[in-house]
Amino acid sequence: MKRLYRSKDDVKIYGICAGIAKIFNLDPTIVRIGMVILTFVAGIFPVITGYIIGMFIIPEEGDLS
């Protein structure tokens, strides 16, 4: 079972999109573009709030948790 971690290798803003891309075997740029599109479709507040929450609850790659 794959676990979600914030990436240490491809970090733009805390590595969350790169971590999601690793789980689905995608290019991180595609996930980042998807996040931008989701922001326009769903609204800025919910996406940014979810991203900020993810910064605190998703462990960094290599952390023992």
Side-chain angles (χ1 to χ4, degrees):
M1 180 177 198
K2 295 182 179 181
R3 293 190 57 163
L4 177 61
Y5 291 104
R6 291 184 290 133
S7 177
K8 285 184 175 181
D9 301 330
D10 190 9
V11 178
K12 297 292 183 199
I13 302 175
Y14 288 96
I16 294 174
C17 288
I20 293 170
K22 281 186 181 181
I23 286 190
F24 293 108
N25 294 324
L26 295 171
D27 183 25
T29 305
I30 294 172
V31 176
R32 290 182 185 112
I33 291 171
M35 288 292 290
V36 170
I37 292 170
L38 182 65
T39 300
F40 286 118
V41 171
I44 293 173
F45 183 73
V47 175
I48 298 298
T49 302
Y51 202 89
I52 291 171
I53 291 170
M55 289 178 355
F56 293 109
I57 65 171
I58 299 172
E60 190 171 12
E61 192 174 42
D63 284 350
L64 299 174
S65 53

